Amino acid sequence: MASVEPELTDQPSPDRVCGAVSSAITSLGHAPPAATRLILGPAGETGKGESVVSYSFSEDDAKSVMKGIRAALPSCAHYNAWYADLYTRHGLRPTQSPYRVGDDRISYRRLDPPSGDVSSGGSPVPMAPGPLQEPGRTTTFVRTGGVITRYPDAVPQAVVEDLTGRFRRAVSG
C-alpha cells in the first residue's frame, strides 16, 4: 500500500460517475461520519495505483445507502459528464460482482462513448443518447456491517478479502 489518507467526497469515483449514484453515497441526509482512501499500487511507485475508498456509517444507514445505489443505477444508464473543457456522455450498467465477500455487493460497469465523441469549448451542451461501448471500468461497492468500500476493477481478490476481514473484525469487537 503506497499511502493512506482521509477523504470525504461527494464523488465516489475519479471518473465523475452519475450524480444519482454519487448522492446515494454522500448526501446531506446521510453523509458518512468518516471516510478513508487507500492508494494501492506497486511498491515504491508514488502517485500510481488504484483508489479504494471506505465510507463509515451506522449499519442501518449503510444498508440504506446500498439500497440507494441500487435504485440509482437504472437512472444512470445514460448521463452527461463535464471534464475540464470537455463535455461527454457515459452510462452505467449493473454487472456481477467479481468479489464474494461482505454482507452486500453492488457492481456496475461504466460505458464510454466512441472515441472523439465529446463537445468542447467550455459550453456544456447535453448530448443526445447514443451508442455507448465497452470496455469500461467496473466498480464494486462492498458493505461489511456499516462500512461501504468502493473497489475499482483492478484490485486483486486477496486485497479485497483482507480489507473485508479487517472491517469484519473491527465491527464484531
Side-chain angles (χ1 to χ4, degrees):
M1 287 182 243
S3 70
V4 178
E5 60 186 69
E7 175 190 71
L8 266 179
T9 176
D10 62 357
Q11 296 293 337
S13 166
D15 299 328
R16 304 280 190 247
V17 74
C18 176
V21 169
S22 294
S23 63
I25 299 163
T26 57
S27 71
L28 295 176
H30 59 260
T36 301
R37 182 176 70 165
L38 303 167
I39 304 296
L40 303 175
E45 291 189 29
T46 306
K48 294 183 179 182
E50 295 293 334
S51 178
V52 175
V53 182
S54 295
Y55 302 90
S56 178
F57 297 94
S58 70
E59 188 165 351
D60 287 342
D61 283 349
K63 288 176 182 178
S64 177
V65 168
M66 293 294 277
K67 184 177 177 180
I69 295 169
R70 247 186 213 94
L73 280 176
S75 68
C76 294
H78 183 277
Y79 65 96
N80 294 314
W82 177 257
Y83 301 95
D85 64 344
L86 299 176
Y87 201 66
T88 186
R89 60 194 169 85
H90 299 283
L92 300 181
R93 186 186 63 179
T95 188
Q96 283 287 79
S97 172
Y99 310 118
R100 301 289 176 246
V101 296
D103 300 319
D104 190 11
R105 295 167 300 282
I106 300 170
S107 291
Y108 60 79
R109 180 170 291 282
R110 191 182 91 165
L111 306 177
D112 296 320
S115 181
D117 191 2
V118 296
S119 169
S120 63
S123 68
V125 177
M127 300 178 77
L132 295 171
Q133 61 190 17
E134 301 214 32
R137 292 183 57 113
T138 298
T139 298
T140 301
F141 291 93
V142 175
R143 182 183 66 79
T144 305
V147 177
I148 297 173
T149 303
R150 180 192 54 81
Y151 295 100
D153 57 2
V155 176
Q157 176 78 23
V159 171
V160 176
E161 289 173 0
D162 180 61
L163 286 174
T164 302
R166 290 173 190 231
F167 291 134
R168 178 73 63 218
R169 288 187 297 280
V171 166
S172 63

